[in-house]
Amino acid sequence: MMATTPFMLTEAIGLSAIPEPAVLGYFETFNRGDFEATASLFDAEGVLYAPFADPIVGKSAIATYLKTEALGMKLNPQQGMSQTLEDGNIQVQVNGLVQTAVFSVNVGWLFIVNSQPAIVSATVKLLASPQELLSLRPFTKF
């Protein structure tokens, strides 16, 4: 049986409530803009599944992608749940916001962390309706 542990992130508790050091490090290094450090938290063959992108595999590719696509973004995790999977890996689900200079959007993150602990995979899902997503992009007349 898999045990699940919910957690809430509040200003009083802060990011330290995230139970896995690699996941905590992901949010901390990302928000500092230290994308090399963020990528270093992944397993050698770790995968980042980002919205609207093919899977990004490996530390170098993840760092390059984040330097290109994530500049100026701030992650604001708010609540989550962790559980131990049957294979011994830890799954951490986190919901929160991604903020940019011009918009914020609800996001869900799903991390799989191995025993090293290193991130095996991180999946980023936009939790917005198609109408909300369309409003984030300037409309161009033809």
Side-chain angles (χ1 to χ4, degrees):
M1 175 163 192
M2 294 182 281
T4 61
T5 307
F7 55 90
M8 292 290 292
L9 301 173
T10 65
E11 287 188 37
I13 296 171
L15 286 175
S16 63
I18 295 175
E20 287 302 312
V23 175
L24 173 62
Y26 178 92
F27 290 108
E28 290 177 338
T29 58
F30 190 107
N31 283 342
R32 285 196 316 259
D34 188 351
F35 300 128
E36 290 288 339
T38 305
S40 76
L41 297 166
F42 281 79
D43 186 73
E45 296 299 316
V47 183
L48 174 63
Y49 298 98
F52 313 115
D54 290 332
I56 301 114
V57 181
K59 295 178 183 189
S60 177
I62 291 168
T64 299
Y65 174 83
L66 292 175
K67 288 175 189 174
T68 303
E69 299 296 329
L71 285 176
M73 289 185 183
K74 292 294 179 194
L75 309 182
N76 184 9
Q78 297 174 341
Q79 62 183 358
M81 178 176 58
S82 67
Q83 64 182 351
T84 302
L85 302 175
E86 291 177 7
D87 63 4
N89 288 338
I90 305 291
Q91 176 178 286
V92 181
Q93 286 183 268
V94 180
N95 289 334
L97 294 171
V98 170
Q99 297 174 308
T100 71
V102 294
F103 66 87
S104 66
V105 64
N106 290 316
V107 172
W109 294 270
L110 178 65
F111 297 93
I112 304 295
V113 180
N114 63 22
S115 61
Q116 269 66 52
I119 299 171
V120 174
S121 68
T123 304
V124 183
K125 292 195 176 196
L126 300 178
L127 303 178
S129 71
Q131 293 80 12
E132 290 172 309
L133 293 175
L134 284 173
S135 71
L136 301 177
R137 183 174 218 165
F139 182 74
T140 306
K141 288 186 177 183
F142 292 97

